[in-house]
Coordinates of all heavy atoms in Angstrom, one line a residue:
M1 N 88.5 81.5 93.7 CA 89.6 80.7 94.3 C 90.7 81.7 94.6 O 91.2 82.4 93.8 CB 90.1 79.7 93.2 CG 91.0 78.7 93.9 SD 91.5 77.4 92.6 CE 90.0 76.5 92.3
S2 N 91.1 81.7 95.8 CA 92.2 82.6 96.2 C 93.5 82.0 95.7 O 93.5 80.8 95.2 CB 92.2 82.8 97.7 OG 92.6 81.6 98.4
L3 N 94.5 82.7 95.8 CA 95.8 82.2 95.5 C 96.6 81.9 96.7 O 96.2 82.3 97.9 CB 96.6 83.3 94.7 CG 96.3 83.3 93.2 CD1 94.9 83.7 92.9 CD2 97.3 84.1 92.4
M4 N 97.7 81.1 96.6 CA 98.5 80.8 97.8 C 99.9 80.9 97.5 O 100.3 80.9 96.3 CB 98.2 79.3 98.2 CG 98.5 78.3 97.1 SD 98.1 76.6 97.5 CE 99.6 76.3 98.6
I5 N 100.7 81.2 98.5 CA 102.2 81.3 98.3 C 102.8 80.0 98.8 O 102.6 79.6 100.0 CB 102.7 82.5 99.1 CG1 102.1 83.8 98.4 CG2 104.2 82.6 99.1 CD1 102.4 85.1 99.2
T6 N 103.7 79.4 98.0 CA 104.3 78.2 98.4 C 105.7 78.5 99.1 O 106.2 79.6 99.1 CB 104.7 77.3 97.1 OG1 105.7 77.9 96.4 CG2 103.4 77.2 96.3
D7 N 106.3 77.4 99.6 CA 107.5 77.6 100.4 C 108.7 77.9 99.5 O 109.8 78.0 100.0 CB 107.8 76.3 101.2 CG 107.9 75.1 100.4 OD1 108.0 75.1 99.2 OD2 108.0 74.0 101.1
E8 N 108.5 78.1 98.2 CA 109.5 78.6 97.3 C 109.7 80.1 97.5 O 110.6 80.6 96.9 CB 109.2 78.2 95.8 CG 109.3 76.7 95.6 CD 108.7 76.4 94.2 OE1 107.5 76.1 94.1 OE2 109.5 76.4 93.2
C9 N 108.8 80.7 98.2 CA 108.9 82.1 98.4 C 110.3 82.6 99.0 O 110.7 81.9 99.9 CB 107.8 82.6 99.3 SG 107.9 84.3 99.9
I10 N 110.8 83.6 98.4 CA 112.2 84.1 98.8 C 112.1 85.4 99.6 O 113.1 86.1 99.8 CB 113.2 84.3 97.7 CG1 112.6 85.2 96.6 CG2 113.5 82.9 97.0 CD1 113.5 85.6 95.5
N11 N 110.8 85.7 100.1 CA 110.6 86.9 100.9 C 111.1 88.1 100.3 O 111.7 89.0 101.0 CB 111.3 86.6 102.3 CG 110.6 85.6 103.1 OD1 109.3 85.6 103.2 ND2 111.2 84.7 103.7
C12 N 110.9 88.3 99.0 CA 111.4 89.5 98.3 C 110.6 90.7 98.5 O 111.0 91.8 98.2 CB 111.5 89.2 96.8 SG 110.0 89.2 95.9
D13 N 109.3 90.6 99.0 CA 108.4 91.7 99.4 C 107.9 92.5 98.1 O 107.3 93.5 98.3 CB 109.2 92.7 100.3 CG 108.3 93.7 100.9 OD1 107.1 93.4 101.2 OD2 108.7 94.9 101.0
V14 N 108.0 91.9 97.0 CA 107.6 92.6 95.8 C 106.1 92.5 95.6 O 105.4 93.5 95.2 CB 108.2 92.0 94.5 CG1 107.6 92.5 93.2 CG2 109.7 92.3 94.4
C15 N 105.5 91.4 96.1 CA 104.1 91.2 95.8 C 103.2 92.0 96.8 O 102.1 92.4 96.4 CB 103.7 89.7 95.9 SG 104.1 89.0 97.5
E16 N 103.6 92.1 98.0 CA 102.7 92.7 99.0 C 102.1 94.1 98.6 O 100.9 94.3 98.7 CB 103.5 92.8 100.4 CG 102.6 93.4 101.5 CD 103.4 93.6 102.8 OE1 104.6 93.5 102.8 OE2 102.7 93.8 103.8
P17 N 102.9 95.0 98.1 CA 102.3 96.4 97.8 C 101.5 96.3 96.6 O 100.8 97.3 96.3 CB 103.6 97.2 97.6 CG 104.7 96.3 97.4 CD 104.4 95.0 98.1
E18 N 101.6 95.2 95.8 CA 100.8 95.2 94.5 C 99.4 94.7 94.8 O 98.6 94.8 93.8 CB 101.5 94.2 93.5 CG 102.9 94.6 93.1 CD 102.9 96.0 92.4 OE1 101.9 96.2 91.7 OE2 103.9 96.7 92.6
C19 N 99.1 94.2 95.9 CA 97.7 93.6 96.1 C 96.8 94.7 96.4 O 96.8 95.4 97.4 CB 97.8 92.6 97.3 SG 96.1 91.9 97.6
P20 N 95.7 94.8 95.6 CA 94.7 95.8 95.8 C 93.8 95.6 97.0 O 93.1 96.5 97.4 CB 93.9 95.8 94.5 CG 94.0 94.4 94.0 CD 95.4 94.0 94.4
N21 N 93.8 94.4 97.5 CA 93.0 94.0 98.7 C 93.7 93.9 100.0 O 93.1 93.5 101.0 CB 92.2 92.7 98.4 CG 91.3 92.8 97.2 OD1 90.7 93.8 97.0 ND2 91.1 91.7 96.4
N22 N 95.0 94.2 100.0 CA 95.8 94.1 101.1 C 95.8 92.6 101.7 O 95.7 92.4 103.0 CB 95.5 95.1 102.2 CG 95.8 96.5 101.9 OD1 96.9 96.8 101.3 ND2 94.9 97.4 102.1
A23 N 95.7 91.6 100.8 CA 95.6 90.3 101.2 C 96.9 89.6 101.6 O 96.9 88.5 102.1 CB 94.8 89.5 100.1
I24 N 98.0 90.2 101.2 CA 99.3 89.6 101.4 C 100.0 90.3 102.5 O 100.1 91.5 102.7 CB 100.1 89.8 100.1 CG1 99.4 89.2 98.9 CG2 101.6 89.2 100.2 CD1 100.1 89.5 97.5
S25 N 100.6 89.4 103.3 CA 101.4 89.9 104.5 C 102.6 89.0 104.8 O 102.6 87.8 104.4 CB 100.5 90.1 105.7 OG 100.0 88.8 106.1
Q26 N 103.5 89.4 105.6 CA 104.6 88.6 106.0 C 104.1 87.6 107.0 O 103.6 88.0 108.1 CB 105.7 89.5 106.6 CG 106.9 88.8 107.2 CD 107.9 88.3 106.2 OE1 108.6 89.0 105.6 NE2 107.9 86.9 106.0
G27 N 104.3 86.4 106.8 CA 104.0 85.3 107.7 C 105.2 85.0 108.6 O 106.1 85.8 108.7
E28 N 105.1 83.9 109.3 CA 106.2 83.5 110.2 C 107.5 83.3 109.5 O 108.5 83.7 109.9 CB 105.8 82.3 111.1 CG 104.9 82.6 112.3 CD 104.7 81.4 113.1 OE1 105.5 80.5 113.2 OE2 103.6 81.4 113.8
E29 N 107.3 82.6 108.3 CA 108.6 82.3 107.6 C 108.5 82.9 106.2 O 109.6 83.3 105.6 CB 108.8 80.8 107.5 CG 109.0 80.1 108.9 CD 109.3 78.6 108.8 OE1 109.3 78.1 107.7 OE2 109.5 78.0 109.8
I30 N 107.4 82.9 105.5 CA 107.3 83.4 104.2 C 106.0 84.2 104.1 O 105.2 84.3 105.1 CB 107.2 82.2 103.1 CG1 106.0 81.3 103.5 CG2 108.5 81.4 103.0 CD1 105.7 80.3 102.4
Y31 N 105.9 84.9 103.0 CA 104.7 85.7 102.8 C 103.4 84.8 102.7 O 103.5 83.7 102.2 CB 104.8 86.6 101.6 CG 105.6 87.9 101.9 CD1 107.0 87.8 102.1 CD2 104.9 89.1 102.1 CE1 107.7 89.0 102.4 CE2 105.6 90.2 102.5 CZ 107.0 90.2 102.7 OH 107.7 91.3 103.0
V32 N 102.2 85.3 103.1 CA 101.0 84.5 103.1 C 99.9 85.4 102.5 O 99.9 86.6 102.5 CB 100.6 84.1 104.5 CG1 101.6 83.1 105.1 CG2 100.5 85.3 105.4
I33 N 98.9 84.7 102.0 CA 97.7 85.3 101.4 C 96.5 85.0 102.2 O 96.3 83.7 102.5 CB 97.5 84.9 99.9 CG1 98.6 85.4 99.0 CG2 96.1 85.4 99.4 CD1 98.6 84.9 97.6
D34 N 95.7 86.0 102.6 CA 94.5 85.7 103.4 C 93.4 85.3 102.4 O 93.0 86.2 101.6 CB 94.1 87.0 104.1 CG 92.9 86.8 105.0 OD1 92.1 85.8 104.8 OD2 92.7 87.6 105.9
P35 N 92.9 84.1 102.4 CA 91.9 83.7 101.5 C 90.6 84.4 101.5 O 89.8 84.5 100.6 CB 91.7 82.2 101.7 CG 92.2 82.0 103.2 CD 93.3 83.0 103.4
N36 N 90.4 85.0 102.6 CA 89.2 85.9 102.8 C 89.2 87.2 102.1 O 88.2 87.9 101.9 CB 88.8 86.1 104.3 CG 88.5 84.8 105.0 OD1 87.8 84.0 104.6 ND2 89.2 84.6 106.2
L37 N 90.4 87.6 101.8 CA 90.7 88.9 101.1 C 91.1 88.8 99.7 O 90.9 89.8 98.9 CB 91.7 89.7 101.9 CG 91.3 90.2 103.3 CD1 92.5 90.9 103.9 CD2 90.1 91.0 103.3
C38 N 91.6 87.7 99.3 CA 92.1 87.5 97.8 C 90.9 87.2 97.0 O 90.1 86.3 97.2 CB 93.1 86.4 97.8 SG 93.6 86.0 96.1
T39 N 90.8 88.0 95.9 CA 89.7 87.9 94.9 C 90.2 87.5 93.6 O 89.6 87.6 92.5 CB 88.9 89.2 94.7 OG1 89.8 90.2 94.2 CG2 88.3 89.7 96.0
Q40 N 91.5 87.0 93.5 CA 92.2 86.7 92.2 C 92.3 88.1 91.5 O 92.4 88.1 90.2 CB 91.5 85.8 91.4 CG 91.7 84.3 91.7 CD 91.0 83.3 90.8 OE1 90.1 82.6 91.2 NE2 91.3 83.4 89.4
C41 N 92.2 89.2 92.2 CA 92.2 90.5 91.7 C 90.9 90.9 90.9 O 90.9 92.0 90.3 CB 93.4 90.8 90.8 SG 94.9 91.1 91.8
V42 N 89.9 90.0 90.9 CA 88.6 90.3 90.3 C 88.1 91.6 90.9 O 88.1 91.9 92.1 CB 87.6 89.2 90.5 CG1 86.2 89.6 90.1 CG2 88.0 88.0 89.7
G43 N 87.6 92.5 90.0 CA 87.1 93.8 90.4 C 88.2 94.9 90.2 O 87.8 96.1 90.2
H44 N 89.4 94.5 90.2 CA 90.5 95.5 90.1 C 91.3 95.3 88.8 O 91.5 96.3 88.1 CB 91.5 95.4 91.3 CG 90.9 95.8 92.6 ND1 90.8 97.1 93.0 CD2 90.4 95.0 93.6 CE1 90.3 97.1 94.2 NE2 90.0 95.9 94.6
Y45 N 91.7 94.1 88.5 CA 92.6 93.8 87.4 C 92.2 92.5 86.7 O 91.5 91.7 87.2 CB 94.0 93.7 87.8 CG 94.6 94.9 88.6 CD1 94.8 94.8 89.9 CD2 95.0 96.1 87.9 CE1 95.3 96.0 90.6 CE2 95.5 97.1 88.5 CZ 95.7 97.1 89.9 OH 96.2 98.1 90.6
D46 N 92.6 92.4 85.4 CA 92.3 91.3 84.6 C 93.1 90.0 85.0 O 92.7 88.9 84.9 CB 92.6 91.5 83.1 CG 91.6 92.5 82.6 OD1 90.5 92.6 83.1 OD2 91.8 93.1 81.5
E47 N 94.3 90.3 85.6 CA 95.2 89.2 86.0 C 95.6 89.4 87.4 O 95.8 90.6 87.9 CB 96.5 89.3 85.1 CG 96.3 89.1 83.6 CD 95.9 87.7 83.2 OE1 96.2 86.8 84.0 OE2 95.3 87.6 82.2
P48 N 95.9 88.3 88.2 CA 96.4 88.4 89.5 C 97.7 89.2 89.6 O 98.6 88.8 89.0 CB 96.5 87.0 90.0 CG 95.6 86.2 89.2 CD 95.6 86.9 87.8
Q49 N 97.7 90.3 90.2 CA 98.9 91.2 90.2 C 100.1 90.5 90.9 O 101.2 90.7 90.5 CB 98.6 92.5 90.8 CG 97.5 93.3 90.1 CD 97.9 93.6 88.6 OE1 98.9 94.5 88.4 NE2 97.4 92.9 87.7
C50 N 99.9 89.8 92.0 CA 101.0 89.2 92.6 C 101.7 88.2 91.8 O 102.9 88.1 91.8 CB 100.5 88.5 93.9 SG 99.1 87.3 93.7
Q51 N 100.9 87.4 91.0 CA 101.5 86.4 90.1 C 102.4 87.1 89.0 O 103.4 86.6 88.7 CB 100.4 85.6 89.3 CG 100.0 84.4 90.0 CD 99.0 83.6 89.2 OE1 98.4 84.1 88.3 NE2 98.8 82.3 89.5
Q52 N 101.9 88.3 88.6 CA 102.6 89.0 87.6 C 104.0 89.4 88.0 O 105.0 89.5 87.2 CB 101.9 90.3 87.1 CG 100.4 90.0 86.7 CD 100.4 89.4 85.3 OE1 101.2 89.7 84.4 NE2 99.7 88.3 85.1
V53 N 104.2 89.8 89.3 CA 105.4 90.3 89.7 C 106.4 89.3 90.5 O 107.5 89.6 90.7 CB 105.2 91.5 90.7 CG1 104.4 92.7 89.9 CG2 104.5 91.1 91.9
C54 N 105.9 88.2 90.9 CA 106.7 87.2 91.6 C 107.8 86.7 90.8 O 107.6 86.1 89.8 CB 105.8 86.1 92.2 SG 106.8 84.9 93.2
P55 N 109.1 86.9 91.3 CA 110.2 86.5 90.5 C 110.5 85.0 90.4 O 111.2 84.5 89.6 CB 111.4 87.2 91.1 CG 111.0 87.4 92.6 CD 109.4 87.6 92.5
V56 N 109.9 84.3 91.3 CA 110.1 82.8 91.4 C 108.8 82.0 91.1 O 108.8 80.8 91.3 CB 110.7 82.4 92.7 CG1 112.1 83.0 92.8 CG2 109.8 82.8 93.9
D57 N 107.8 82.7 90.6 CA 106.5 82.0 90.3 C 106.1 81.0 91.3 O 105.8 79.8 91.1 CB 106.7 81.2 88.9 CG 106.8 82.1 87.7 OD1 106.2 83.2 87.8 OD2 107.3 81.7 86.7
C58 N 105.9 81.5 92.5 CA 105.5 80.6 93.6 C 104.1 81.0 94.2 O 103.8 80.7 95.4 CB 106.5 80.7 94.8 SG 106.6 82.2 95.7
I59 N 103.2 81.6 93.3 CA 101.9 81.9 93.7 C 100.8 81.3 92.9 O 100.2 81.9 92.0 CB 101.7 83.5 93.8 CG1 102.9 84.2 94.3 CG2 100.4 83.8 94.6 CD1 102.8 85.7 94.4
P60 N 100.5 80.0 93.1 CA 99.5 79.3 92.3 C 98.1 79.5 92.9 O 98.0 80.1 94.0 CB 99.9 77.8 92.4 CG 100.5 77.7 93.8 CD 101.2 79.1 94.0
L61 N 97.1 79.0 92.1 CA 95.7 79.0 92.7 C 95.7 78.0 93.9 O 96.4 77.0 93.9 CB 94.8 78.6 91.6 CG 94.5 79.6 90.6 CD1 93.7 78.9 89.4 CD2 93.6 80.8 91.1
D62 N 94.9 78.3 94.9 CA 94.7 77.4 96.0 C 93.5 76.6 95.9 O 92.4 77.0 96.1 CB 94.6 78.3 97.3 CG 94.5 77.5 98.6 OD1 94.4 76.3 98.5 OD2 94.5 78.2 99.6
P63 N 93.7 75.3 95.5 CA 92.5 74.4 95.3 C 91.6 74.2 96.5 O 90.5 73.7 96.3 CB 93.1 73.1 94.8 CG 94.5 73.2 95.3 CD 94.9 74.6 95.4
S64 N 92.1 74.6 97.7 CA 91.3 74.3 98.9 C 90.3 75.5 99.1 O 89.5 75.5 100.0 CB 92.2 74.2 100.1 OG 92.9 75.4 100.4
H65 N 90.3 76.5 98.2 CA 89.4 77.6 98.3 C 88.7 77.8 96.9 O 88.8 78.9 96.3 CB 90.1 78.8 98.8 CG 90.5 78.8 100.2 ND1 91.8 78.5 100.6 CD2 89.8 79.0 101.4 CE1 91.9 78.5 101.9 NE2 90.7 78.8 102.4
P66 N 87.9 76.9 96.5 CA 87.2 77.0 95.2 C 86.2 78.1 95.2 O 85.3 78.2 96.2 CB 86.6 75.6 94.9 CG 86.4 75.1 96.3 CD 87.5 75.6 97.1
E67 N 86.1 79.0 94.3 CA 85.1 80.0 94.1 C 84.9 80.3 92.7 O 85.8 80.2 91.9 CB 85.6 81.4 94.8 CG 85.7 81.3 96.3 CD 86.5 82.4 96.9 OE1 87.7 82.5 96.5 OE2 86.0 83.3 97.6
T68 N 83.6 80.7 92.3 CA 83.3 81.1 91.0 C 83.7 82.5 90.8 O 83.9 83.2 91.7 CB 81.8 81.0 90.7 OG1 81.1 81.8 91.6 CG2 81.3 79.5 91.0
Q69 N 83.7 82.9 89.5 CA 84.0 84.3 89.2 C 83.0 85.3 89.9 O 83.3 86.3 90.4 CB 83.9 84.6 87.7 CG 85.1 84.0 86.9 CD 86.4 84.7 87.3 OE1 87.3 84.2 87.8 NE2 86.5 86.0 86.9
E70 N 81.6 84.8 89.9 CA 80.6 85.6 90.5 C 80.9 85.7 92.1 O 80.7 86.8 92.6 CB 79.3 85.0 90.2 CG 78.1 85.8 90.8 CD 78.0 87.2 90.4 OE1 78.5 87.5 89.3 OE2 77.5 88.1 91.2
E71 N 81.3 84.7 92.7 CA 81.6 84.7 94.1 C 82.7 85.6 94.4 O 82.8 86.4 95.4 CB 81.8 83.3 94.6 CG 80.6 82.4 94.7 CD 80.9 81.0 95.0 OE1 81.9 80.5 94.7 OE2 80.0 80.3 95.7
L72 N 83.8 85.6 93.5 CA 84.9 86.5 93.6 C 84.5 87.9 93.5 O 85.0 88.8 94.3 CB 86.0 86.1 92.6 CG 86.7 84.8 92.8 CD1 87.5 84.4 91.6 CD2 87.6 84.9 94.0
Y73 N 83.6 88.2 92.6 CA 83.1 89.6 92.4 C 82.3 90.0 93.6 O 82.5 91.2 94.0 CB 82.3 89.7 91.1 CG 81.9 91.1 90.8 CD1 83.0 92.0 90.4 CD2 80.7 91.6 90.8 CE1 82.7 93.3 90.1 CE2 80.4 92.9 90.6 CZ 81.3 93.8 90.2 OH 81.1 95.1 89.9
Q74 N 81.5 89.2 94.1 CA 80.7 89.5 95.3 C 81.7 89.8 96.5 O 81.4 90.7 97.3 CB 79.7 88.4 95.7 CG 78.6 88.2 94.7 CD 77.8 89.5 94.5 OE1 77.5 90.3 95.4 NE2 77.4 89.8 93.3
K75 N 82.7 89.0 96.6 CA 83.7 89.2 97.7 C 84.3 90.6 97.5 O 84.5 91.3 98.5 CB 84.7 88.1 97.6 CG 85.7 88.1 98.8 CD 87.0 87.4 98.6 CE 86.8 85.8 98.6 NZ 88.1 85.2 98.6
Y76 N 84.7 90.9 96.2 CA 85.3 92.2 96.0 C 84.4 93.3 96.4 O 84.8 94.3 97.0 CB 85.6 92.3 94.5 CG 85.6 93.7 93.9 CD1 86.6 94.6 94.2 CD2 84.5 94.2 93.1 CE1 86.6 95.9 93.7 CE2 84.5 95.5 92.7 CZ 85.5 96.4 93.0 OH 85.5 97.6 92.5
L77 N 83.0 93.2 96.1 CA 82.1 94.2 96.5 C 82.0 94.4 98.0 O 82.0 95.6 98.5 CB 80.7 93.9 95.9 CG 80.5 93.9 94.5 CD1 79.1 93.5 94.0 CD2 80.8 95.4 93.9
V78 N 82.0 93.3 98.7 CA 82.0 93.4 100.2 C 83.3 94.0 100.8 O 83.3 95.0 101.6 CB 81.8 92.0 100.8 CG1 82.0 92.0 102.3 CG2 80.4 91.4 100.5
I79 N 84.4 93.5 100.2 CA 85.7 94.1 100.8 C 85.9 95.6 100.5 O 86.3 96.3 101.3 CB 86.9 93.3 100.1 CG1 86.9 91.9 100.5 CG2 88.2 94.0 100.4 CD1 87.9 91.0 99.7
S80 N 85.4 96.0 99.3 CA 85.6 97.4 98.9 C 84.4 98.3 99.4 O 84.4 99.4 99.1 CB 85.7 97.5 97.4 OG 84.6 96.9 96.8
G81 N 83.5 97.7 100.2 CA 82.4 98.5 100.7 C 81.4 98.9 99.7 O 80.7 99.9 100.0
K82 N 81.3 98.2 98.6 CA 80.3 98.6 97.5 C 79.1 97.6 97.6 O 78.2 97.9 96.8 CB 81.0 98.5 96.2 CG 82.1 99.5 96.0 CD 82.8 99.4 94.7 CE 83.9 100.4 94.6 NZ 84.9 100.2 93.5
A83 N 79.1 96.7 98.4 CA 78.0 95.7 98.4 C 76.7 96.4 99.1 O 76.9 97.2 99.9 CB 78.3 94.5 99.2
Ligands
SF4_1 S1 95.5 87.6 93.3 FE1 95.2 89.8 93.6 S2 93.8 89.9 95.4 FE2 94.8 87.9 95.4 S3 96.6 88.0 96.7 FE3 97.3 88.3 94.5 S4 97.3 90.6 94.2 FE4 96.0 90.1 96.1
SF4_2 S1 106.8 88.1 95.2 FE1 106.9 85.8 95.3 S2 108.9 85.5 96.3 FE2 108.4 87.7 96.6 S3 107.5 87.8 98.6 FE3 105.8 87.5 97.1 S4 105.5 85.3 97.0 FE4 107.4 85.6 97.9

């Protein structure tokens, strides 16, 4: 399951450089996460790095993109060119 950024985002830019998959970018109004690139940090870290650094806790799991741990790991392998 990828994560999503809610409209509570204050555009502080802290999360973007922390993402190991370059899944976070500045959207039209707030920062956004590409669900095709977010692995919940599986393959890189034990915890989602963006959630760890967000000062306003506005990065929950996105229920519209359900994925198992195995699917997230397979996504990581493809994104990182290891598949
Ligand atoms: S959970 Fe990890 S991979 Fe997903 S957007 Fe946050 S930092 Fe990037
Ligand atoms: S860290 Fe949180 S508030 Fe800052 S840009 Fe990212 S989602 Fe928005």
Side-chain angles (χ1 to χ4, degrees):
M1 192 178 294
S2 69
L3 277 67
M4 59 181 284
I5 295 173
T6 73
D7 59 11
E8 292 166 271
C9 172
I10 57 172
N11 290 316
C12 73
D13 190 36
V14 168
C15 58
E16 184 183 11
E18 298 299 325
C19 179
N21 296 326
N22 292 319
I24 303 174
S25 60
Q26 171 82 70
E28 278 187 28
E29 294 184 359
I30 56 173
Y31 277 75
V32 293
I33 292 175
D34 183 341
N36 296 314
L37 294 177
C38 176
T39 63
Q40 279 182 241
C41 284
V42 166
H44 292 281
Y45 302 103
D46 291 338
E47 302 285 340
Q49 296 300 290
C50 54
Q51 270 185 341
Q52 303 288 313
V53 299
C54 180
V56 294
D57 285 337
C58 70
I59 319 182
L61 288 167
D62 181 356
S64 66
H65 291 96
E67 289 163 299
T68 65
Q69 287 294 115
E70 180 59 27
E71 286 171 330
L72 289 168
Y73 187 66
Q74 290 302 321
K75 190 201 282 190
Y76 154 73
L77 291 178
V78 171
I79 292 170
S80 58
K82 294 175 181 167

